[in-house]
Amino acid sequence: GFSTLGTLADFVRVAPEHEAMIEITLRDELQYVVVPSFDDALRAIDYLKSEGPGRATFLVIGQIYDAPAVDPFPYLHNIKIDSSGAADGNGDHSSVHHSDRHSPFRYQTLDSMLSLKPDLAEAFKLALPGLAKASVVDDAAQAIEASGSSNGSGPYVSLARTGERAIAGRLVTGGSVSEKGAGVLALKREIGEL
């Protein structure tokens, strides 16, 4: 057998006003299956193979090696913390940023909005460093501008509160959402409030 802890969506806690944006921009990632170890992930993969068609992505909380000694976010050195005013969705001023070189707008980082437990937050940052440190801005135009400010040192991801995702000023994902009704994060919050 194997052990699973749930999906990433089971662990994400965001302010209600950010739920739709998180569900749209992290549609695939919210379905990642969280497991305690690589052994659990490999046993789950073997199970999926034996049962016929089926695939999953596993986010492993445990690690089999030490965290990388290299800077996992080399492209963020041109971005500074601005603690002079705005706060993130949880009232925390430390995660609100602005870019001196390219963009006059202020933003939060995605990882500051997800309220993940420390071990899961660390796994998320190591597995998806560009996404974890993605800037969250107001609209698609700002997302495109912010994503192009990597200064050539690596792709930079920016998410718009309107649901678009921009990468390295070259790739933009967006459009309408076909589902109607509350998403998984809103449903979880509503159930928790009962």
Side-chain angles (χ1 to χ4, degrees):
F2 54 89
S3 178
T4 63
L5 303 173
T7 64
L8 183 59
D10 294 328
F11 296 93
V12 169
R13 303 285 181 268
V14 296
E17 62 269 19
H18 301 305
E19 288 170 347
M21 184 266 302
I22 295 296
E23 289 176 359
I24 291 167
T25 58
L26 298 183
R27 176 182 309 269
D28 294 337
E29 292 83 357
L30 288 173
Q31 296 179 40
Y32 288 178
V33 179
V34 180
V35 294
S37 71
F38 280 101
D39 286 338
D40 290 304
L42 294 174
R43 285 194 297 270
I45 289 169
D46 286 342
Y47 173 79
L48 289 171
K49 288 178 178 179
S50 72
E51 293 299 309
R55 251 176 120 68
T57 299
F58 298 91
L59 180 59
V60 179
I61 291 183
Q63 57 187 32
I64 58 172
Y65 61 89
D66 290 330
V70 298
D71 183 358
F73 313 111
Y75 43 89
L76 293 179
H77 293 293
N78 66 325
I79 298 172
K80 295 187 177 181
I81 293 175
D82 176 13
S83 58
S84 63
D88 71 12
N90 300 315
D92 180 8
H93 292 271
S94 64
S95 61
V96 178
H97 300 74
H98 76 280
S99 171
D100 286 336
R101 286 197 61 209
H102 298 281
S103 305
F105 49 86
R106 302 162 71 77
Y107 67 90
Q108 300 174 243
T109 58
L110 177 62
D111 64 342
S112 73
M113 297 175 72
L114 299 181
S115 300
L116 296 172
K117 294 178 182 177
D119 56 346
L120 186 53
E122 184 67 16
F124 184 78
K125 288 177 188 177
L126 288 171
L128 302 162
L131 195 53
K133 289 300 176 188
S135 60
V136 178
V137 297
D138 290 333
D139 59 37
Q142 287 181 352
I144 293 166
E145 183 179 349
S147 75
S149 66
S150 71
N151 200 20
S153 56
Y156 188 63
V157 179
S158 189
L159 308 174
R161 294 182 196 281
T162 52
E164 294 80 16
R165 182 190 295 199
I167 302 173
R170 300 286 180 197
L171 184 65
V172 182
T173 303
S176 65
V177 179
S178 60
E179 293 95 22
K180 298 202 185 271
V184 66
L185 297 179
L187 287 174
K188 284 182 13 190
R189 177 181 43 79
E190 290 170 5
I191 290 169
E193 290 172 352
L194 295 176

